[in-house]
Amino acid sequence: MKYSGYFKVLNLGEMAFVHLDVLCFYSLLICTAFSSVSSNAEIKVNPPQDFEIVDPGYLGYLCLQWQPPLFLDKFEECTVEYELKYRNIDSEDWKTIITKNLHYNDGFDLNKGVEAKIHTLLPPHCTNGSEVQSLWSEATYWKSPQGSQETKIQEMDCVYYNWQYLLCSWKPGLGVHFHTSYQLFYWYDGLDHATQCPDYIKVDGQNIGCRFPHLEASDYKDFYICVNGSSDSHPIRPSYFIFQLQNIVKPLPPDYLSLTVKNSEEVNLKWSMPQGPIPAKCFIYEIEFTEDDTTWVTTTVENEIRIARISNESQQLCFLVRSKVNIYCSDDGIWSEWSDEQCWKDLSEEKRSLFSSRHILLTE
């Protein structure tokens, strides 16, 4: 009996020791967890240094640049990244870039201010499993304003005719002196510097437009323009514009139209692709078709279309067509002028009418 009792006491002791071991284990886990949190909380990184927005003189193409943060040598084995956000000041949306570089270039509307902010990112493998971000570093940029808003040019209009030559025109600002002189400068990636218009369009000695020279390798790039001016009476505020040339192309109209009446129910319309450098795959066509007094409009990417006649007794069929660069080659475009009209008349009806008139005369 004593032995048995002694055995039970030992079991109770063992259970007590086991219970104590479990408590210590959980305590150790909690301490480790708090230690880890404390360790993560202590990992910090500074924001980039010397963040600034630099204008190299390209009429809106700006450089955002910065230097690495202080004490980055503590993270030598880490690949540090930067999150950059920027926008024109009146824009609702930020553009966001993640980069490992120390600079980034993009185009901005210099009629408005520019703001940007950047912070440093440390990836999770450098910080015990969670990304660490620095505070933001911010920068702004404004062109120094000069002249009143009314002195800016009005109604700027640029057209890239037949994807071959660019022409821009404008009207003088309100209330400016008759002798105000306007100058146009342009730049796109590939030019060494901003270039002045070589061939101005003038009215009464005042520049109101520009004929551009051949623009080599200028498609599918931002094209920057500034029109500024000078006057003896008051300063002139410059105007800035950004567009891409393929989006303002105005092709030539199609030519060599043909209209063939296949049978009493169907008409075949065909035309030649406009002349010039625009590939055939880049065109969309708008056709205006008239059958007697009924007119309707349709579009096609082909240079031929078949149309069902409303009536096999229609007396006249006519159509004309115009062209535009389609969505496969540009984001937008300008319709060409309408082609000359091509028509078909039912001569058999005219002959019947003529025969009927002659028959009446003979009868009389």
Side-chain angles (χ1 to χ4, degrees), residues 12-68:
L12 289 172
E14 288 177 355
M15 290 176 65
F17 278 115
V18 169
H19 180 67
L20 181 60
D21 288 343
V22 170
L23 287 176
C24 289
F25 176 73
Y26 279 111
S27 298
L28 181 62
L29 285 178
I30 292 171
C31 289
T32 303
F34 275 107
S35 175
S36 176
V37 171
S38 176
S39 176
N40 278 342
E42 292 174 358
I43 297 177
K44 294 182 180 180
V45 65
N46 289 307
Q49 299 183 87
D50 303 327
F51 181 44
E52 60 180 341
I53 302 172
V54 178
D55 185 354
Y58 296 151
L59 314 180
Y61 187 70
L62 303 181
C63 178
L64 294 79
Q65 60 187 35
W66 56 93
Q67 294 299 320

Side-chain angles (χ1 to χ4, degrees), residues 4 26 99 262 270 329 343 358:
S4 175
Y26 279 111
T99 179
K262 294 289 187 180
K270 192 173 182 179
C329 298
C343 291
R358 288 179 177 177

Side-chain angles (χ1 to χ4, degrees), residues 28 42 76 146 165 186 192 209 214 257 315 317 344:
L28 181 62
E42 292 174 358
E76 289 181 352
Q146 59 178 359
Y165 60 96
Y186 66 95
D192 294 332
H214 173 67
L257 279 64
Q315 302 300 303
L317 307 172
W344 171 89

